[in-house]
Each structure stands twice: as structure tokens, then as C-alpha cells.
Amino acid sequence: MDSTRVTEHPTPSYDRPQPGVDPAEARGALLRSPKPLGATALPAQARTGETPSSPGTTAPCGKGKEPPVNRPEHSQPAAAETDTHRPRPTPEGIPPQPGAEQERATGGQDRRTGRGLPPGRPMPMRRDGDRLRFVGAATRRIARGIDLDEIVMGLCRATVPTFSDAILVYLRDPLPVGDERPTGPVVLRLRRTDRIPEERDTEGGFLPVQAPEPEPTEPTALSELSSLTAELCEVRPGGALNEVLRGVRPVFADAPAARAALPELLGESGESVVPDGQHAILAPLRGRRRVIGAALFLRRPERLAFEADDLLVAAQLATHSALGIDKAVLYGREAYIADELQRTMLPETLPRPTGVRLASRYLPAAETARVGGDWYDAIPLPGSRVALVVGDVMGHSMTSAAIMGQLRTTAQTLAGLDLPPQEVLHHLDEQAQRLGSDRMATCLYAVYDPVSHRITIANAGHPPPVLLHLGGRAEVLRVPPGAPIGVGGVDFEAVELDAPAGATLLLYTDGLVESRLRDVWTGIEQLREKLAATAQLTGPDHPPPLEALCDEVLDMLGPGDRDDDIALLAARFDGIAPSDVAYWFLEPEDAAPGRARRLARRALARWGMEDLTDSVELLVSEVVTNAVRYASRPVTLRLLRTDVLRCEVGDDVPQLPRLRQARATDEGGRGLYLVNRLARRWGATRLSTGKVVWFELNRS
């Protein structure tokens, strides 16, 4: 099947559609000749035996002769001049109109129905010209679709009812993408059916005729397309349907090959859908490399049958539809890859660190450009701190997204080393220079400490954050602007600011505040005013909900403000009260574990958590013993009471402890095993001055 090629028939462009008429419009749109308009219109076609009168005069029937008139070259002669009429030259590439001489000899009768045309009605247009105009309009309609459903719907609406009374479109399931070779049997699925309603049927194909009065009729097979035809069919190798699809060219349904293939395609009960004679065309849909489906065009038995030239029309429709479907599948795969890339580059969920609540939003630049260089992140740090990061790589392409992923990974690694914010930006700048000379990005890195209620911020050419206070006042924080990442040879400066409980910090990218309609500082001022107005709705003592606040911020974007993708990160500072924190220094001596147990017991008694005393004493003793064994400076012990009880032990040894299975003869190595079994969570984080080992217990 893959070796079969299809011959395309290009559509000439010199046949221009009639003004005001689209031959491929949906639901009963038929081609119509323009009506005569006053004296400038072409003379009307007279009945047989009558002589048309000159414009503006009245002549009795059968009397007088029409005076000679100098007509334009393409004007339509009267019936009395048939002896001197010469047929118009046929444009190159269009087959001559069959039956034209008989049409003139019949005195203006419709050659399909034998009926005489009504008085004053022009001669019907040439059928070849109608076909060309129809194909041109239909292919334009099909080409307007950008996804699979739009293309298939365009094919159905363009052909029904102008070309056929009904259509069935079958596509491979699954559709092959690009050059990949599908495995397994070829299966066709009925993708869409479309038909003209019974009461809106017409007798003609392309040419307009007098539609008969609708009469009550019994339901036909065409009205039950979906119920009579099979939804799935398997193309058997060597079967009749396989041979028709390999032939690529459309065939009439009464051809021997098609008669044998239709039961396989439609199912046993679907044969009743196909009328007798040349009232059905089976057209394979061939894409760039293989057949991807089939289309069945149907006409009712009382309607004019298809002609040989209609096979060329069906071939054009099938070819354009198949190529469009191929491109739509490729575009869908690219959009899926872009969505997956963007989804994996951004955090799937935000962490829930102690003392801070987080919310985020991301909007792509457009539906057709879903990848970009904007990112945000929230990284838990030792000591219940959290790092808040937002950045923007220049551009919104696949390359920008790839660079963004590398910078985000680097930032997470640097945050795990607990480096100061300015040092993190410095290493990010070095990494961007290693990626290339033109890898530029802006970034803002902030570290929030819920115990001290302070935040440290360093900036690399990024828009400044906005802090919304509990009373409703919004201020733009004054942070050093810095140079963008990738410039090289610059220093970054950090600033430490107050982060009061109940305040909200908003980090964002420039797509939120900058567009073609406004500069960045105007947008920042509008953002500040929007935050202040939103805070007033909830009152001075209650901050607005984070999720609703993010939605309100995005609502400030107008229709013309989406020039770039947008990343938004909001952090609500709850903090940890001083009464919920207990902090001690322990000398690295043998008595340190016993003193740590006593201090922890007193703190738990003060907090009313005596039921955790035994577990806390055991775990604190094990962790402090391990720290004292190797430390050379005082060991720190801190207890935090939040929704859980958190214990942190810090020392100056950078090596992290690892959980291992102790042997029966070992005297030690079971401390972390106990911590792992009794604690809710535990971990160890390396600091610039050593490490911190922590564990958490559920509050009873």
C-alpha cells in the first residue's frame, strides 16, 4: 500500500466564481446564474419558436425580427441566431462540454431533466466550469482547517449538498504520524458522516433547477447512515478493500472492485446505504506516504447520477483532504510535544513549606506558541526557609524552553547548597555563558525565613517584586536592578527586607506588565493599583485569598496585552511565632545528648505535647550523638511547633549521613534506622558551614 502514488490534478484558477455565491457553502448552497439586471444584463433565453425583444421594447410573440445588435464577444446569442452561433473556445485543461450541441438543439431544455427552462431564465452554465469553481471553493474551505476535526468537517460541508447528498469519512485508527510505520493491522474508523435533510433535497448536481415540491416520503437509508454502517473495519491484506485503497484513484461503487470492497468497509447491513448505478463514489484518502482513509460520496437514486468527470472532482477533494489531515496530525504531535516540554519544565505542584503559602500561574504567549522561556519555582531550604525564583529567558521557542530548563535545574542545585542569593545568580550567569554567547535571561531569587520574618532578594535585570501588606497597602520593593544573566563580568547585590506576617509577595515576568500598548513601569504601577484595590475588598484585617488574587491580577490584561508568556508566583507570609520556636547551642562533648533530652522535654511540656516526649527524646539523642562525635564547633538544636513538630540539629561537618543496614555484630549504625522508622519525615541538607539533619513528628 505504501508504494502506491496518487496523481494530483491541479485546479485552474482562471474560472472565477460568480459574484456573491460560494458554491461550497454548507447546507443547500447551490450555484446560481446571476439574474438579469436592467438593460445592462444579458438578453434572456427565449422559448422555442419565440424571438426575444430588444431591451426596452415590446414585440408580439412570433412577429417581427430583432434588429442587429453589436454584442460583446462573450454575450449569449438568442435562439433565432443558432445557425450562426460558434461555440466558445474551451480554456486549456478543461474538457469540452458533452452534449452542448444537443442542448442548443432542444431550444433551451435542461439536458438532465428534459424540462424547459422558465421564460426569462438564462441558459445554465457549462458543467465543466461549474466543477472547476466548485473544486476551487471546496479546497479553499478544506484548507482553512488547522486541526483534524476542522478539515474533516470542511470536507463534509463543502460536498454536501452541492456535490453529493451524503458522505462518509473513514480514517485510520490510529493515524500514522510523519514517517513512522504503524504496526499491526490497518483499521479504519468512521470519523464523520454528513447528509442533506430529506426536505432540503435537490434534483441537480452543480446546475440550478426548479426544485420539486417536497412530498412525504418514507425514511431512506441515507437518513440512517450512522446506524447502518459499521464504525470500525479491518483492512485485510489481499482483500477487495485493500486493492481499492492501493489503487488510490476514486471508483464508482458499481465497479466490480468497489462492489466487493463496500461490504468490508460498511459492514453487512451497510450495503443498503449505497444506491444502485453510478450514485456512489469510493475515494481513497492518500497522504504524503500512505493511504490514511477513504471517503464515500452518495447520491439518492432519484438524483442525477455521477458522471466520469465527477471522479476527477472526488480525486481533488480526497487529495486535498488527505494532505491536510497529514499536516494536522503532524501539527498535533508538535503541539503535544510543546505542551509536554513546557509542563515538565515547570513545577507540577508547589511545595508546602512551613510558614508560607504559595500559588502560581503560567500563560503561554498564544495558542500556537505554547512554549517559552518563563519559569518559576519554590525550593524548600534548611531551617524551614524557602527559596522563591522567577526567571525569563529571551524568546518563546523550543530553544528558549530548553535553556530555561537548564537554568532552572542549575538554580535548584545551587539552592540545595544553601548559597546566598547573590552567589546563586553569579553561578547562573556563569552557566548561561557556558551555554552560549547569546543566552540571556533575567532572574529574581529570594529567600524567606519564617522564623526571623525576613526576606533576602537578589535581582538580575528582572522587574521588581510587589509586596501587598495586610492593611491593603501595595509597594514596589526597591531592589538593586542588576544585569541580566549571561552578560558576564558583573556583580550581583542582595538586599534584606522585612516580611511581616500576613503580607503577600508577588513575583512575575515582564509579560504581565509590558506590551505594545504600555511600557514596563506603567504596567508595574497598574499592577500595584490592582493589588491595592483587590485587598480593599476583603478588609484591612483579612488578606485576599491567594488563588483569587492571582486570577484578579491576570484580569488586568487587555486584549492586546498578550505579547509574551507570563509566569506568576504569589507567596503569603504566615511566619512562625517566636513562642513556637526553641533554640539552643550544645558544646560537642559527651554530656550533650543528655542535655538535649532535658531541653526537649521542657519545651514539649511548655507546649502541652507531653505525649511526644518519649519519641522526641529518643530521636534527639541519636541525632545529637552522631553530630557530637564528629563536630568541632558547637552543635545547634532547634524545635519548631507548627502543624507538625520539627526538630533540626546542625553541625560543622559537611558529610551527609546515609541510611544503612547495620550488621548483628556492629555496635552502631542504628540511629538513623530508628529515625526512619519513628519519624513522619526526615532528611539531611548540606550548608555552606556544615549540614542540618532534621525530622518531623505528627502532633497528636
Side-chain angles (χ1 to χ4, degrees):
M1 184 182 301
D2 295 336
S3 62
T4 307
R5 298 184 179 272
V6 63
T7 303
E8 298 186 3
H9 302 275
T11 303
S13 59
Y14 40 73
D15 276 313
R16 190 179 307 171
Q18 300 183 41
V21 178
D22 188 351
E25 283 300 323
R27 294 285 158 255
L30 299 177
L31 294 174
R32 300 187 182 277
S33 303
K35 299 179 180 180
L37 301 175
T40 59
L42 296 176
Q45 175 68 36
R47 290 193 183 95
T48 305
E50 295 181 351
T51 304
S53 59
S54 302
T57 63
T58 304
C61 179
K63 295 182 180 181
K65 295 184 178 180
E66 182 183 1
V69 179
N70 294 328
R71 296 183 176 89
E73 179 183 356
H74 298 290
S75 62
Q76 206 167 11
E81 299 178 335
T82 55
D83 56 337
T84 60
H85 175 77
R86 295 182 179 179
R88 291 169 53 187
T90 302
E92 183 180 357
I94 303 179
Q97 171 66 31
E101 298 298 333
Q102 292 89 336
E103 199 169 90
R104 289 194 298 272
T106 56
Q109 291 182 343
D110 192 322
R111 66 181 178 85
R112 298 167 303 151
T113 61
R115 299 176 181 177
L117 294 175
R121 185 162 186 161
M123 281 281 291
M125 295 176 296
R126 294 169 56 94
R127 292 181 60 86
D128 294 325
D130 294 336
R131 286 190 179 92
L132 291 174
R133 282 188 286 269
F134 165 74
V135 169
T139 52
R140 286 194 300 271
R141 182 163 192 164
I142 294 170
R144 286 199 294 264
I146 194 173
D147 59 20
L148 181 61
D149 292 332
E150 290 179 352
I151 293 173
V152 175
M153 181 180 292
L155 171 63
C156 295
R157 294 298 173 86
T159 55
V160 178
T162 311
F163 182 67
S164 62
D165 293 324
I167 184 175
L168 292 89
V169 181
Y170 285 83
L171 296 179
R172 292 182 67 163
D173 186 29
L175 277 168
V177 180
D179 297 334
E180 67 181 22
R181 290 187 172 273
T183 59
V186 177
V187 178
L188 299 183
R189 178 183 292 274
L190 181 60
R191 185 76 185 192
R192 186 178 179 87
T193 62
D194 203 1
R195 65 179 182 85
I196 183 174
E198 296 282 345
E199 64 275 6
R200 302 186 64 177
D201 190 18
T202 58
E203 289 188 8
F206 296 109
L207 304 183
V209 297
Q210 291 289 340
E213 293 294 330
E215 299 179 358
T217 58
E218 294 295 329
T220 63
L222 293 186
S223 62
E224 304 293 338
L225 283 176
S226 300
S227 59
L228 293 179
T229 56
E231 183 180 358
L232 289 175
C233 76
E234 181 177 338
V235 182
R236 297 188 299 269
L241 180 57
N242 184 47
E243 294 302 320
V244 172
L245 296 180
R246 285 176 60 89
V248 176
R249 295 180 179 276
V251 294
F252 290 118
D254 60 350
R259 278 202 307 268
L262 287 176
E264 185 179 348
L265 178 67
L266 304 176
E268 295 300 331
S269 60
E271 283 191 87
S272 59
V273 173
V274 183
D276 297 331
Q278 294 184 351
H279 285 79
I281 294 178
L282 178 59
L285 301 178
R286 180 176 176 83
R288 295 173 56 248
R289 295 185 179 275
R290 59 184 62 87
V291 173
I292 61 174
L296 183 62
F297 304 93
L298 301 171
R299 285 184 182 176
R300 294 194 180 99
E302 64 272 13
R303 187 173 175 180
L304 190 68
F306 288 111
E307 300 178 0
D309 289 341
D310 293 328
L311 293 177
L312 302 178
V313 176
Q316 286 285 346
L317 297 177
T319 299
H320 282 271
S321 300
L323 293 177
I325 291 171
D326 249 3
K327 295 177 181 178
V329 172
L330 285 173
Y331 173 78
R333 172 62 64 88
E334 291 181 359
Y336 170 78
I337 293 174
D339 287 340
E340 285 296 305
L341 177 62
Q342 190 67 54
R343 185 185 64 82
T344 54
M345 292 299 182
L346 296 176
E348 186 174 354
T349 58
L350 291 174
R352 297 181 179 179
T354 303
V356 61
R357 286 174 286 171
L358 303 171
S360 63
R361 294 291 187 274
Y362 176 81
L363 292 180
E367 289 297 323
T368 55
R370 301 189 62 85
V371 292
D374 292 16
W375 90 91
Y376 61 89
D377 214 340
I379 309 168
L381 299 178
S384 300
R385 297 170 301 153
V386 60
L388 307 174
V389 191
V390 64
D392 182 5
V393 179
M394 292 178 57
H396 34 81
S397 61
M398 302 287 278
T399 303
S400 301
I403 297 173
M404 177 265 287
Q406 297 182 69
L407 293 180
R408 177 172 177 249
T409 303
T410 304
Q412 290 179 332
T413 304
L414 296 172
L417 299 177
D418 197 32
L419 298 178
Q422 64 273 21
E423 291 296 325
V424 172
L425 295 183
H426 175 74
H427 289 292
L428 283 177
D429 179 66
E430 292 180 340
Q431 175 67 11
Q433 295 180 62
R434 284 191 291 266
L435 294 177
S437 58
D438 57 345
R439 308 310 188 193
M440 305 284 290
T442 63
C443 182
L444 191 142
Y445 189 94
V447 175
Y448 170 65
D449 189 344
V451 177
S452 63
H453 297 270
R454 303 281 289 177
I455 186 169
T456 306
I457 305 175
N459 189 14
H462 204 78
V466 180
L467 185 65
L468 178 63
H469 293 269
L470 184 60
R473 180 174 63 92
E475 65 169 327
V476 180
L477 297 183
R478 297 182 178 180
V479 296
I485 291 174
V487 173
V490 295
D491 292 331
F492 299 98
E493 183 180 353
V495 59
E496 188 174 353
L497 304 171
D498 288 329
T504 304
L505 184 69
L506 198 71
L507 309 179
Y508 54 91
T509 56
D510 58 354
L512 180 65
V513 295
E514 186 179 18
S515 68
R516 294 188 302 267
L517 305 179
R518 61 185 177 186
D519 61 86
V520 61
W521 288 108
T522 302
I524 292 175
E525 181 61 24
Q526 293 178 1
L527 173 61
R528 189 192 65 80
E529 294 175 354
K530 183 69 174 181
L531 291 174
T534 304
Q536 292 178 0
L537 300 177
T538 57
D541 300 329
H542 301 282
L546 272 184
E547 298 293 338
L549 181 64
C550 292
D551 294 335
E552 288 292 330
V553 167
L554 294 181
D555 285 343
M556 67 178 281
L557 296 172
D561 292 344
R562 290 288 301 281
D563 297 333
D564 195 2
D565 45 342
I566 299 171
L568 179 66
L569 180 62
R572 175 70 45 76
F573 299 142
D574 295 332
I576 300 176
S579 58
D580 294 331
V581 180
Y583 192 84
W584 303 281
F585 286 95
L586 303 174
E587 293 295 330
E589 55 189 12
D590 296 340
R595 184 167 179 262
R597 289 193 295 269
R598 291 192 299 273
L599 295 174
R601 186 186 312 116
R602 295 172 187 172
L604 294 176
R606 187 171 64 252
W607 291 337
M609 303 172 65
E610 291 87 351
D611 52 340
L612 296 179
T613 301
D614 293 339
S615 299
V616 172
E617 285 188 3
L618 176 60
L619 299 184
V620 165
S621 178
E622 293 293 337
V623 176
V624 171
T625 299
N626 188 70
V628 169
R629 179 177 301 176
Y630 303 103
S632 58
R633 295 181 182 180
V635 176
T636 61
L637 173 63
R638 185 166 72 169
L639 296 180
L640 302 174
R641 183 184 62 168
T642 57
D643 54 339
V644 296
L645 179 66
R646 182 182 177 97
C647 176
E648 299 174 351
V649 177
D651 57 60
D652 60 345
V653 181
Q655 286 77 18
L656 299 180
R658 301 298 180 191
L659 182 65
R660 63 184 182 88
Q661 187 70 34
R663 292 173 297 183
T665 58
D666 291 341
E667 296 183 359
R670 296 174 178 82
L672 288 182
Y673 179 77
L674 294 175
V675 174
N676 185 60
R677 292 297 299 269
L678 299 179
R680 173 178 174 266
R681 290 195 312 157
W682 77 278
T685 306
R686 183 178 286 108
L687 304 178
S688 57
T689 58
K691 68 174 181 294
V692 169
V693 180
W694 57 270
F695 63 85
E696 293 178 352
L697 295 173
N698 290 322
R699 296 177 57 178
S700 57

